[in-house]
Amino acid sequence: MAVVELPSFVRQDGREKVTGTARYSADLSTPGLLHAAVRLGGVAHARIRGIETARARALPGVVAIVTQADVPDLRYGTWVRDRTLFASDAIRWEGEIVAMVAATTEAIAREAAALIELDLEPLPPVVDLEAAIAPGAPLVHPGWAAYDGDARIPREGNVGSRHTIVKGDAEAALAGAPVVVRERYVADGSHALPIEPRAITAEWQGDRVTIQTSSQVPYLARTHVASTLGMPEGKVRVIVPHLGGGFGGKCEGHFEPHVAALARIARRPVRLAFDRREEFLAPDHHRERMVIDLATGVDHDGTILARSARILIDNGAYGADEPYLAQLAAVFAVGPYRIPAVATESLVVYTTTQPTGSVRGPVAPQVTWAVEQHMDVVAERLGIDPLELRRRNILVEGDEGPVRQRIGANGAKTALERAAEMIGWGRPLPADEAIGIATGWWPSFPGPSGAVVKLNADGSGTIVTGAQECGTGSVMALPILAAEVLGMRPEEFTLLYQDTDAGGWDAGASGSQTTFNNGRAVVSAATELRERLLALAAERLEANPADLELTDGVARVKGSPEAAIPIAELAAEAQGGRLLIADGSGDPPAVPEVDAGGCVGRLGGESFAAPCYFTQAVRVRVDRATGVVRVLEVAAAHESGTIVNPIGAEGQVLGGIVMGIGQALTEGTQLTPDGRQRNADMLDYKLVTAADAPPMRVEFVQVPDPNAGPRGLKGVAEPPAVPTPGAIANAIARAAGTRIRLLPMTAERVWADLADVEAGR
Amino acid sequence: MRYETSFRLNGTPVSVSVEPSRTLLHVLREDLGMTGTKEGCTDSECGACMVLLDGEPLNACSYLAVQADGREVTTVEGLSAPDGSLSALQRAFLAHGGVQCGFCTPGMLISATALLARDPDPAEETVRAALSGNLCRCTGYQGIVQAVRSAAAEIREG
Ligand code: FES
Ligand code: FES
């Protein structure tokens, strides 16, 4: 068990961030800048009979207005092409954008947007997930069958996609199991909610547009602009200034094409800056509402024999990542457990609510919250300690995963035991306190990525990367990897990043993939430079390159430190000839082989490459009079491969836990009966504050995995948010003597359950 | 109608002519070019816009610029020394992982600066309570709380 000490690696963007000189999207200005405002639909579901912009256009200071009539008439979408840039025929959720106005001030733009008149014919809202898939339910997309979509995805009416994991005969195994537990869990939605609301500036020069945007995925945003506006990608440059947090909320391309189209019509640069309510209502970053039905068959000794599950997942009005995520949900319903017979199904359901999408560890927190409570219920039924039940069933090397992939060496069991030890599992506690535990897993996402590394004549290095830094420190950690290969110090590297015209392609700050994939690209580029440095040094030292090493800023003969040349000298010499510049991508590691023949809706998410395994244990106090739950302490043990930047990795776990506490207790999207958000502000949608956040202890378990990234690392940012709600739920159940099957587990809900128990209901 | 408004900003006298409805935050960011102070909500919910007004922390989004007339305003840009060296708090935030995306950082540093001015040796709960008006989505607060306490110790020891 390796325990990591934290060296203080100071992030390169740190100084500008503590002095206020770091520029974020909303801080930028440019001569002639106009300000944009959006006109949203405002209703849940309606047919559009007319859009009247005359009064808005007449307002002094208004320069341009853009609607669907001004952009190419085409549908787009990640898996199903179900949307257009602006609504023109129907409004399918309250935040749907109908028009965008550019004016000389933001106040005028907002006033003009409000003056746009919409002639609407109300249509029935579709909110409840069960009702949405019932026969005869009103359709969110009556024309769904004509939409182009990925042929692997089965869809039908309001069911936007369907995905299953099938292994063995779960039905028969459940029928034959000595003990079967069946339960339902229901989760409300929640938000990514970075503290920075997004801002986007577009400026045309000739037929090229430069877009400065708060995006986690600049290359995907570029593709989105090019494809929706019908331009070549080479004419679109996307730059991301400092990004004030993402958590998935700034994934996918969004309003970049809208602002670009508006700036083209206005013939002036235009900036759109969202206020908090608009940021709440931006599409594709709402954590999904879910209805989760679970059934598990076990033997008396706690051996799990079968698991079946059906998960309804809210897609909202338009599709983003949900089909892929639903497939992940079908896997998460199994959990990191050895289960011989599995039948899980997830349905992505269209509703007239905010489109859902990737939020930190998408779908996993809700499903894991349900599965881990379910495990405790099974343990109670059997009279087995919940920790022991998990220990008996958790995946170990040589086991078969949900789609029969071979499970490699991993730290799942160690993490489980460490978290329990750290919190003092089983110790006596006051009557209103209890400890709960939850475990989980999360895949790595191998994919292409590129980087350039060059050495300057003064011996410093520059990394030019397409990777995106959203605050996690993943890009900040790249110099550590390059420095190690080149025998230099991380501080000797500068970074050029977040400009699609400069770096190599990268998938962006999503899926915790940056260090995994771009780290590999940097190591590959640095390795090529290393070869060239060694060859140069070999000539100068009249030695064999194989006998040389790069260390402490010099190239030297191994074992004879006096025969050395500074790297700076070699770089300066190279400046007169073949420059020391190299690019790299490296080959993504293989994903494990699977046997998923019986599964439908396969999009590649079923096979977990280099998974992270983790367990969190929490101690809570429940106030029986008010239902208020306070998290007193958290112990987290995470296996995320090799930890390259300990202070950064620890920061991810700490931040993820606190986000998980919010999702568990206070962060829930409250909807009106027709599906509009009631609490789109931070007074009513409550984040955890410094005063509520508990002390946390984090340990990393490090186990080598051949399919991991460079130096055996794996993603770090998403897993920490996954098990927290489940651990808190289990602690509440033990402290309160009643189990809360609704998420978030608000004081009101806990109080109502306690009142029921007391009244004997 | 515009009002001539004069105040000291990070030690330097400034004078701007502002409409009475404009907030101090917008005048700082738009008229005076001080974009270090952030806008996260415009509604006193997040603390990203915090500045010191005569040494007291204040959400600049909910304060009219004309009210600052004759007073002393300090923003994050005014926290480091004139020679650019960082304050003990700024250094501690970096060393303890108190900065990730950095969007809450200016407001956090302002809050923490005000706290240490009135309490040079705050207990952990005191720090947490003092920072409870500053939301951070990234760090889980632990690194920030450690940073404030370690900076306090450093300042006390001189
Ligand atoms: S911007 Fe002032 S409190 Fe959020
Ligand atoms: S560091 Fe990102 S919000 Fe605090």
Side-chain angles (χ1 to χ4, degrees), chain A residues 448-468:
Chain A
S449 184
V452 169
V453 179
K454 56 183 183 172
L455 292 184
N456 307 308
D458 64 354
S460 66
T462 300
I463 298 170
V464 185
T465 171
Q468 166 66 36

Short mmCIF file of all heavy atoms in Angstrom, two decimals, chain A residues 448-468:
data_model
loop_
_atom_site.label_atom_id
_atom_site.label_comp_id
_atom_site.label_asym_id
_atom_site.label_seq_id
_atom_site.Cartn_x
_atom_site.Cartn_y
_atom_site.Cartn_z
N PRO A 448 -7.34 9.54 -29.28
CA PRO A 448 -6.25 10.27 -29.92
C PRO A 448 -6.02 11.63 -29.26
O PRO A 448 -6.94 12.21 -28.68
CB PRO A 448 -6.74 10.45 -31.36
CG PRO A 448 -8.23 10.38 -31.27
CD PRO A 448 -8.54 9.47 -30.12
N SER A 449 -4.80 12.12 -29.37
CA SER A 449 -4.47 13.43 -28.81
C SER A 449 -3.07 13.79 -29.30
O SER A 449 -2.26 12.91 -29.57
CB SER A 449 -4.48 13.36 -27.28
OG SER A 449 -4.25 14.64 -26.74
N GLY A 450 -2.81 15.08 -29.43
CA GLY A 450 -1.51 15.48 -29.97
C GLY A 450 -0.86 16.60 -29.18
O GLY A 450 -1.53 17.38 -28.52
N ALA A 451 0.49 16.65 -29.25
CA ALA A 451 1.23 17.72 -28.58
C ALA A 451 2.55 17.94 -29.29
O ALA A 451 3.06 17.05 -29.97
CB ALA A 451 1.47 17.37 -27.12
N VAL A 452 3.08 19.14 -29.11
CA VAL A 452 4.41 19.49 -29.64
C VAL A 452 5.26 19.91 -28.45
O VAL A 452 4.79 20.63 -27.58
CB VAL A 452 4.30 20.65 -30.66
CG1 VAL A 452 5.67 21.20 -31.00
CG2 VAL A 452 3.57 20.18 -31.91
N VAL A 453 6.49 19.43 -28.43
CA VAL A 453 7.43 19.89 -27.40
C VAL A 453 8.64 20.47 -28.11
O VAL A 453 9.14 19.88 -29.07
CB VAL A 453 7.87 18.72 -26.48
CG1 VAL A 453 8.86 19.23 -25.43
CG2 VAL A 453 6.67 18.09 -25.79
N LYS A 454 9.08 21.65 -27.69
CA LYS A 454 10.29 22.22 -28.31
C LYS A 454 11.21 22.77 -27.24
O LYS A 454 10.77 23.14 -26.15
CB LYS A 454 9.91 23.28 -29.33
CG LYS A 454 9.05 24.40 -28.79
CD LYS A 454 8.68 25.35 -29.93
CE LYS A 454 7.88 26.52 -29.39
NZ LYS A 454 7.65 27.56 -30.39
N LEU A 455 12.48 22.83 -27.60
CA LEU A 455 13.45 23.39 -26.67
C LEU A 455 13.93 24.72 -27.23
O LEU A 455 14.17 24.87 -28.43
CB LEU A 455 14.64 22.44 -26.49
CG LEU A 455 14.30 21.14 -25.76
CD1 LEU A 455 15.57 20.32 -25.55
CD2 LEU A 455 13.64 21.40 -24.41
N ASN A 456 14.05 25.70 -26.35
CA ASN A 456 14.49 27.03 -26.74
C ASN A 456 15.99 27.16 -26.48
O ASN A 456 16.56 26.39 -25.70
CB ASN A 456 13.70 28.07 -25.96
CG ASN A 456 12.20 27.83 -26.09
OD1 ASN A 456 11.68 27.70 -27.20
ND2 ASN A 456 11.49 27.71 -24.96
N ALA A 457 16.59 28.17 -27.10
CA ALA A 457 18.05 28.30 -27.05
C ALA A 457 18.57 28.54 -25.64
O ALA A 457 19.74 28.32 -25.36
CB ALA A 457 18.49 29.43 -27.98
N ASP A 458 17.71 29.00 -24.74
CA ASP A 458 18.18 29.19 -23.36
C ASP A 458 18.02 27.93 -22.53
O ASP A 458 18.22 27.95 -21.32
CB ASP A 458 17.42 30.35 -22.71
CG ASP A 458 15.92 30.07 -22.59
OD1 ASP A 458 15.46 29.02 -23.10
OD2 ASP A 458 15.22 30.88 -21.97
N GLY A 459 17.61 26.85 -23.18
CA GLY A 459 17.48 25.59 -22.46
C GLY A 459 16.12 25.39 -21.83
O GLY A 459 15.87 24.38 -21.20
N SER A 460 15.22 26.35 -22.00
CA SER A 460 13.86 26.15 -21.51
C SER A 460 13.07 25.37 -22.55
O SER A 460 13.50 25.25 -23.69
CB SER A 460 13.19 27.50 -21.23
OG SER A 460 13.02 28.20 -22.44
N GLY A 461 11.93 24.88 -22.13
CA GLY A 461 11.10 24.11 -23.06
C GLY A 461 9.73 24.75 -23.20
O GLY A 461 9.31 25.53 -22.34
N THR A 462 9.05 24.43 -24.30
CA THR A 462 7.67 24.89 -24.49
C THR A 462 6.84 23.69 -24.92
O THR A 462 7.25 22.94 -25.80
CB THR A 462 7.60 25.99 -25.56
OG1 THR A 462 8.41 27.10 -25.14
CG2 THR A 462 6.17 26.47 -25.76
N ILE A 463 5.71 23.54 -24.28
CA ILE A 463 4.77 22.50 -24.68
C ILE A 463 3.60 23.18 -25.36
O ILE A 463 2.98 24.07 -24.78
CB ILE A 463 4.27 21.70 -23.46
CG1 ILE A 463 5.45 20.99 -22.78
CG2 ILE A 463 3.21 20.68 -23.88
CD1 ILE A 463 5.09 20.37 -21.43
N VAL A 464 3.32 22.80 -26.61
CA VAL A 464 2.17 23.34 -27.32
C VAL A 464 1.15 22.22 -27.39
O VAL A 464 1.42 21.17 -27.99
CB VAL A 464 2.54 23.80 -28.75
CG1 VAL A 464 1.34 24.48 -29.42
CG2 VAL A 464 3.73 24.75 -28.71
N THR A 465 0.04 22.41 -26.74
CA THR A 465 -0.90 21.30 -26.65
C THR A 465 -2.32 21.71 -26.97
O THR A 465 -2.70 22.86 -26.74
CB THR A 465 -0.86 20.67 -25.23
OG1 THR A 465 -1.93 19.72 -25.13
CG2 THR A 465 -1.05 21.70 -24.15
N GLY A 466 -3.07 20.79 -27.51
CA GLY A 466 -4.48 21.03 -27.76
C GLY A 466 -5.33 20.73 -26.55
O GLY A 466 -6.54 20.95 -26.56
N ALA A 467 -4.70 20.25 -25.48
CA ALA A 467 -5.48 19.89 -24.29
C ALA A 467 -6.03 21.13 -23.61
O ALA A 467 -5.51 22.22 -23.77
CB ALA A 467 -4.61 19.10 -23.32
N GLN A 468 -7.09 20.92 -22.85
CA GLN A 468 -7.83 22.03 -22.25
C GLN A 468 -7.73 21.97 -20.74
O GLN A 468 -7.96 20.92 -20.14
CB GLN A 468 -9.28 21.93 -22.73
CG GLN A 468 -10.25 22.78 -21.99
CD GLN A 468 -10.00 24.25 -22.21
OE1 GLN A 468 -9.62 24.67 -23.30
NE2 GLN A 468 -10.16 25.03 -21.17
#
